[in-house]
Amino acid sequence: MTTPPALLIAGHGTRDDAGAEAFRDFVRQLGARHPELPVAGGFIELSPPPLGEAVTELVERGVRRFAAVPLMLVSAGHAKGDIPAALAREKERHPGISYTYGRPLGPHPALLNVLERRLDEALGSAGRTPGDRADVTVLLVGRGSTDPDANAEVHKAARLLWEGRGYAGVETAFVSLAAPDVPSGLDRCVRLGARRIVVLPYFLFTGILPDRVRHQTEGWAAAHPEVEVLSADVIGPEPELLDLVWERYEEAVKGDLRMNCDSCVYRIALPGFEDKVGMPQQPHFHPDDDDHHHGHGHHHHGAPSHAH
């Protein structure tokens, strides 16, 4: 019987120790769930262990084939460029290894169910029942990207979350790199008639950016006492997330990869982004997760071109 490929989890990284430890604990949980399989995880930046170290760990355990799954909700620069470039480097460092690359996680029905649960928890903390949603507007807040396709995926998640669940509406905002920001998103909700808002961070684990979402929400709420504003929690290491990563692993192993290329800014000339068509995707590093001031795509580290 052929030994199945190992599982490598690729994370973004954060300067928040609790968020980084949540990722590492999640990798340990996956390993405990699948003792028959070598499982390792590493980060693209900011947190230990780096992805290369995780690959070395697998190689030292005798692994020659693995499937890499990006533990990311949307397909932005990291999933499209940085992780493939890092994996290509590791293949040069460890001759004889081979790998397949999975796709990002969301928006997936299982994660939407977790988001719904987080909303119910927030409403419950305010003494409201889960069925009491008709006057609740949700503001789904994503990380934000310079890649319009990635930002559009957050809007897609918002629409899917709204469909059939009985909320008054689900609006979208971003905490970095893209508009509208959290205060502007809350302003928009009010202009649309909202008087009861739940701000829902579209993040897997705790970290600096989810904390910023909460702080900005609290600041806006203090200045608008006439509006009821609640903050929901991040997705967290729920069983649905563990199941979904395994699903992405099995897709990668079977070669059943359905990457969305229809609106990829590096393949299609989108208004305002025409100069990015055909641009090589080079690995980049956020100088500070607390302040994303950099331009994605304009880097010169000699990595291979972007390809889905």
Side-chain angles (χ1 to χ4, degrees):
M1 183 176 175
T2 305
T3 303
L7 171 56
L8 175 69
I9 308 297
H12 180 285
T14 173
R15 295 191 187 280
D16 181 79
D17 291 340
E21 183 55 30
F23 171 90
R24 291 188 288 262
D25 186 60
F26 183 81
V27 172
R28 288 190 288 268
Q29 288 185 56
L30 270 171
R33 264 195 175 202
H34 302 282
E36 77 285 0
L37 198 72
V39 177
F43 296 99
I44 287 298
E45 60 185 0
L46 300 173
S47 311
L51 194 62
E53 190 175 304
V55 173
T56 299
E57 175 192 334
L58 290 175
V59 170
E60 289 175 349
R61 293 166 66 179
V63 168
R64 289 296 174 265
R65 296 188 306 137
F66 63 87
V69 175
L71 198 69
M72 297 172 186
L73 289 167
V74 302
S75 185
H78 287 298
K80 290 179 178 179
D82 295 340
I83 297 173
L87 294 175
R89 284 198 302 267
E90 293 310 309
K91 192 171 182 180
E92 292 180 3
R93 288 181 57 210
H94 303 284
I97 68 170
S98 63
Y99 62 87
T100 55
Y101 184 44
R103 59 184 176 134
L105 304 176
H108 189 281
L111 295 186
L112 296 173
N113 290 338
V114 178
L115 292 172
E116 182 179 11
R117 192 154 69 238
R118 294 292 177 257
L119 290 169
D120 285 344
E121 290 165 358
L123 291 170
S125 69
R128 299 170 64 81
T129 64
D132 192 10
R133 298 175 173 179
D135 64 347
V136 173
T137 298
V138 178
L139 183 63
L140 183 70
V141 182
R143 173 182 292 274
S145 172
T146 56
D147 184 339
D149 184 39
N151 295 330
E153 287 188 41
V154 181
H155 281 266
K156 181 177 181 179
R159 179 69 194 194
L160 290 171
L161 184 63
W162 179 78
E163 292 278 1
R165 288 183 170 84
Y167 300 111
V170 181
E171 297 299 315
T172 309
F174 301 95
V175 73
S176 68
L177 293 175
D181 59 16
V182 175
S184 298
L186 287 163
D187 289 341
R188 173 177 167 80
C189 290
V190 171
R191 286 198 300 271
L192 291 171
R195 288 294 175 267
R196 185 166 285 112
I197 304 170
V198 182
V199 177
L200 176 62
Y202 193 43
F203 288 82
L204 293 174
F205 303 124
T206 57
I208 288 175
L209 295 182
D211 286 347
R212 187 191 298 175
V213 173
R214 185 175 289 267
H215 292 152
Q216 291 182 354
T217 299
E218 291 171 351
W220 187 93
H224 299 80
E226 73 282 3
V227 183
E228 181 183 355
V229 184
L230 304 171
S231 289
D233 286 332
V234 296
I235 291 170
E238 294 294 287
E240 291 93 337
L241 184 57
L242 289 157
D243 291 342
L244 178 54
V245 170
W246 186 252
E247 183 178 320
R248 292 290 186 256
Y249 164 79
E250 291 186 319
E251 287 175 357
V253 170
K254 295 172 184 174
D256 181 23
L257 298 180
R258 292 161 286 180
M259 184 73 76
N260 168 30
C261 298
D262 294 338
S263 55
C264 176
V265 74
Y266 303 106
R267 288 176 179 264
I268 307 298
L270 298 179
F273 297 89
E274 293 88 351
D275 62 323
K276 291 197 173 187
V277 174
M279 179 182 291
Q281 279 299 280
Q282 313 289 8
H284 71 272
F285 301 94
H286 295 280
D288 188 348
D289 198 20
D290 189 16
D291 194 7
H292 282 47
H293 291 300
H294 65 277
H296 293 229
H298 299 281
H299 306 275
H300 305 280
H301 301 299
S305 296
H306 158 72
H308 296 318

